Amino acid sequence: MALARVARTGLRRSGSAFGSYAREKITFYGGEYTRKFSLESLPSCVNIKANDDFLYISGIKKQNYMNFPIRGISTTRHHEYPAAERVVEESESESEYEERRYAGLEATKPGEKPRVVVLGTGWAACRFLKGLNTNIYDVVCISPRNHMVFTPLLASTCVGTLEFRSVAESVSRIQNALARNPNSYFYLASCTGIDTGKHEVYCEAVNNGGLPREPYRFKVAYDKIVIAAGAEPLTFGIKGVKEHAFFLREVHHAQEIRKKLLHNLMLSENPGISEEEKKRLLHFVVIGGGPTGVEFSGELSDFIMKDVQERYTHVKNYVRVTLIEANEILSSFDISLRQYATKHLTKSGVRLLRGVVKELHAKKIVLSDGTDVPCGLVVWSAGVGPSEFVKSLNLPKSPGGRIGVDHWLRVPSVEDVFALGDCAGFLEQTGKPVLPALAQVAEREGKFLVEIFNKIGKENGGKAFSAKDIQLGEPFVYKHLGSMASVGRYKALVDLRESKDAKGLSLAGFVSWLIWRSAYLTRVISWRNRFYVAVNWATTFVFGRDNTRI
């Protein structure tokens, strides 16, 4: 490699060909030799390969390059030999790539603050980040997105009730140390593996062509790691779901749904569109009768009854919303609330269809009983499950495939590894059930774990392998605070029971809607976003929803 650098430097500085042995002018890459070129005169340390189109240097054997004769270099300028420098640079970059493939943060040294690596920016990760004492720890957050999404209000952004920035909070605002502290970082990347023995995380940057190589990989050494990588939508292996359905988990999902919704409304007004095609384009189908599916159906019905009726008068009579559920909608809610939701949605124009989806196609849904349901937009909200990353980790698993944890959210059998949120579940031997994938579960786990970390740090247990003998205190206990769901038209459901079979207060109607809005407004993380949400609600109430397709 050193000889390659000398050769390249000689080319740049003298404007000459590669060494005195290449005296004759040659055109590489599809050119022809201008004169006979003698390979016999080259030293044995240089390997030359040639074919009809290309002459290149394949390698240079080890030799004392200081003895390489460079004084008699010919005067042919280097720009006439573009391939020579390119080959050297390509060879060098490949070797450097192998050497630096996993460049990154090395292990912390004695005297430095312990480093906590957090994987993810969901509810659990951000609640943990918010409370972590950065006077004790340096923190590194790794995630393919740089913000937290307030998922309970995400459905409202699809139809213009709220703007997208109102439900997204930058992770550097949640934990200022990521932007300010010299040894704390946020990396826009996906984790590809964890070596629990070496205490290293291997990552791949989210690249859009702006980095020197693709894929761009690096590693980060940790003292403690918190896995809060979330979950992925469950498709149950049904053909066509990933290709033709829209999910509702991220801001970009809501943006895609909004664009498709408005696009279909405008397309259907074009001349020459048949009645049948208009009905298909304007048939919006929601699959999954949980809180997300019901809230999105309610938002859609509001949008149709108010804004579509006023602004798309030519096609308003063709718009339909169908909610498909295999069992009962809102199965975790009180039976009286389920009945109220069913009546209210039906009254609002939402068709409730009980069935199991067999296949999804670009323009129709096939149910298990053979029924075809033509559709122009499909939103899939049928639950979540472990991601491919979580499945790939060589860690204990809980029932359902999540990362298995003990009473203190530690991963047994490995040191300094913790997991929480939708990607984690209690191991079977703990005797605890796997908790539902809810925001309040993730938030409570994040709050519990950060208290443990701050306690460990104060007792000098933050470094790797140094917290074995520290008492962690009381184990994690989850107490359900209740469930809420909006069903549209200023109506909502509030179920304050601790469990499905327990007794407790249940409300439905306008008062519940006020409670729902007040509760979510107070749970929005920053005052800035609370202001945005309040202003968006007020603007929508006075002027209606924005139907601009951007």
Side-chain angles (χ1 to χ4, degrees), residues 179-416:
R180 298 177 182 177
N181 287 14
N183 295 317
S184 293
Y185 305 95
F186 170 80
Y187 294 136
L188 190 70
S190 297
C191 180
T192 57
I194 302 173
D195 190 326
T196 56
K198 293 182 178 179
H199 275 48
E200 289 180 343
V201 176
Y202 301 98
C203 307
E204 186 173 305
V206 176
N207 194 358
N208 194 24
L211 293 176
R213 57 182 180 267
E214 179 78 25
Y216 191 92
R217 297 190 178 100
F218 60 92
K219 68 179 179 181
V220 177
Y222 65 84
D223 291 296
K224 300 282 189 291
I225 184 170
V226 176
I227 306 172
E232 291 182 353
L234 277 176
T235 63
F236 306 100
I238 297 174
K239 182 180 177 182
V241 173
K242 291 183 178 180
E243 293 81 4
H244 305 300
F246 292 89
F247 302 114
L248 192 52
R249 299 275 297 170
E250 305 285 351
V251 171
H252 68 87
H253 293 157
Q255 290 172 328
E256 292 166 357
I257 292 170
R258 183 167 172 174
K259 285 182 179 180
K260 181 68 173 178
L261 177 66
L262 296 174
H263 185 67
N264 283 11
L265 283 165
M266 289 181 280
L267 276 183
S268 62
E269 292 188 311
N270 289 333
I273 304 295
S274 66
E275 298 284 313
E276 183 179 354
E277 185 65 9
K278 283 183 180 180
K279 290 179 180 179
R280 185 195 68 79
L281 279 171
L282 299 179
H283 187 199
F284 308 129
V285 180
V286 183
I287 299 176
T292 301
V294 168
E295 288 189 343
F296 180 69
S297 299
E299 289 283 354
L300 261 181
S301 68
D302 271 3
F303 176 65
I304 291 166
M305 296 187 72
K306 294 180 180 178
D307 302 89
V308 171
Q309 296 285 344
E310 294 177 5
R311 303 178 191 181
Y312 299 94
T313 55
H314 299 99
V315 295
K316 63 182 181 181
N317 296 326
Y318 297 95
V319 183
R320 293 179 299 154
V321 179
T322 297
L323 175 61
I324 300 177
E325 169 56 44
N327 300 303
E328 292 187 16
I329 65 170
L330 301 174
S331 57
S332 63
F333 282 68
D334 181 74
I335 186 171
S336 61
L337 296 182
R338 295 203 300 267
Q339 293 172 349
Y340 179 90
T342 300
K343 292 178 181 178
H344 181 79
L345 288 173
T346 304
K347 186 178 179 181
S348 300
V350 178
R351 176 193 175 202
L352 301 179
L353 179 62
R354 182 171 293 188
V356 177
V357 176
K358 181 181 178 182
E359 289 182 9
L360 255 70
H361 299 274
K363 297 183 178 181
K364 69 176 182 179
I365 301 167
V366 180
L367 301 181
S368 57
D369 61 1
T371 305
D372 288 349
V373 182
C375 56
L377 169 69
V378 178
V379 175
W380 186 271
S381 178
V384 295
S387 65
E388 292 302 319
F389 166 68
V390 168
K391 292 177 183 177
S392 70
L393 294 177
N394 187 23
L395 295 174
K397 298 295 193 296
S398 70
R402 300 185 189 183
I403 299 171
V405 295
D406 64 10
H407 296 281
W408 293 271
L409 306 180
R410 299 175 299 185
V411 179
S413 74
V414 291
E415 288 288 332
D416 303 317

Side-chain angles (χ1 to χ4, degrees), residues 318-528:
Y318 297 95
V319 183
R320 293 179 299 154
V321 179
T322 297
L323 175 61
I324 300 177
E325 169 56 44
N327 300 303
E328 292 187 16
I329 65 170
L330 301 174
S331 57
S332 63
F333 282 68
D334 181 74
I335 186 171
S336 61
L337 296 182
R338 295 203 300 267
Q339 293 172 349
Y340 179 90
T342 300
K343 292 178 181 178
H344 181 79
L345 288 173
T346 304
K347 186 178 179 181
S348 300
V350 178
R351 176 193 175 202
L352 301 179
L353 179 62
R354 182 171 293 188
V356 177
V357 176
K358 181 181 178 182
E359 289 182 9
L360 255 70
H361 299 274
K363 297 183 178 181
K364 69 176 182 179
I365 301 167
V366 180
L367 301 181
S368 57
D369 61 1
T371 305
D372 288 349
V373 182
C375 56
L377 169 69
V378 178
V379 175
W380 186 271
S381 178
V384 295
S387 65
E388 292 302 319
F389 166 68
V390 168
K391 292 177 183 177
S392 70
L393 294 177
N394 187 23
L395 295 174
K397 298 295 193 296
S398 70
R402 300 185 189 183
I403 299 171
V405 295
D406 64 10
H407 296 281
W408 293 271
L409 306 180
R410 299 175 299 185
V411 179
S413 74
V414 291
E415 288 288 332
D416 303 317
V417 180
F418 300 78
L420 68 167
D422 294 352
C423 72
F426 289 115
L427 288 164
E428 206 166 358
Q429 53 264 37
T430 64
K432 292 186 175 184
V434 175
L435 297 174
L438 298 174
Q440 63 173 296
V441 174
E443 186 178 25
R444 303 271 289 286
E445 288 180 343
K447 184 179 179 180
F448 171 83
L449 188 60
V450 79
E451 291 175 356
I452 287 181
F453 267 64
N454 291 339
K455 173 181 168 56
I456 290 174
K458 290 176 182 178
E459 298 183 25
N460 298 319
K463 288 287 188 177
F465 304 106
S466 61
K468 295 180 180 179
D469 300 325
I470 296 177
Q471 296 297 319
L472 301 183
E474 295 296 322
F476 176 75
V477 177
Y478 173 69
K479 183 179 179 181
H480 190 61
L481 299 178
S483 302
M484 294 183 290
S486 169
V487 291
R489 298 182 68 184
Y490 308 109
K491 301 293 190 297
L493 315 175
V494 176
D495 189 349
L496 300 180
R497 297 177 303 158
E498 290 187 13
S499 66
K500 185 176 179 180
D501 300 322
K503 294 182 179 180
L505 183 63
S506 299
L507 301 172
F510 180 73
V511 174
S512 298
W513 178 81
L514 290 176
I515 295 173
W516 174 82
R517 281 211 164 178
S518 301
Y520 282 167
L521 186 62
T522 58
R523 299 310 301 159
V524 174
I525 290 182
S526 69
W527 282 103
R528 185 186 70 161

